[in-house]
Amino acid sequence: GLSEDDALAGEAGEPHHTQAAVEEASPDDLTVDELKDELRERELPVSGNRDELVKRLKKAIKDEDK
């Protein structure tokens, strides 16, 4: 079977979607729809491509940590 190491090897590649709560997921793991939902809750713009949405949400999360 797969060892623990093999299971962790996938981390660097494409995100594999688990049913983890959005709060625990990094913006990189979210779908565009989920990213937009998160941004709307923060009253942030949802314009732009996925990369921009991810960057915007990451910045918002970082600001919340202050």
Side-chain angles (χ1 to χ4, degrees):
L2 289 172
S3 70
E4 294 268 332
D5 289 337
D6 288 334
L8 293 173
E11 293 292 319
E14 283 297 303
H16 35 262
H17 293 275
T18 57
Q19 292 301 315
V22 169
E23 284 73 31
E24 296 174 23
S26 95
D28 291 312
D29 295 329
L30 301 180
T31 65
V32 171
D33 286 341
E34 289 169 328
L35 288 165
K36 288 185 176 183
D37 284 344
E38 290 292 303
L39 290 167
R40 279 193 200 100
E41 283 175 25
R42 294 169 169 83
E43 298 184 346
L44 293 166
V46 293
S47 58
N49 61 27
R50 187 175 181 284
D51 286 343
E52 292 174 64
L53 300 177
V54 169
K55 264 186 234 164
R56 193 174 296 141
L57 183 54
K58 278 183 176 172
K59 184 178 186 305
I61 291 169
K62 211 175 87 163
D63 289 346
E64 284 167 18
D65 285 343
K66 284 179 189 163

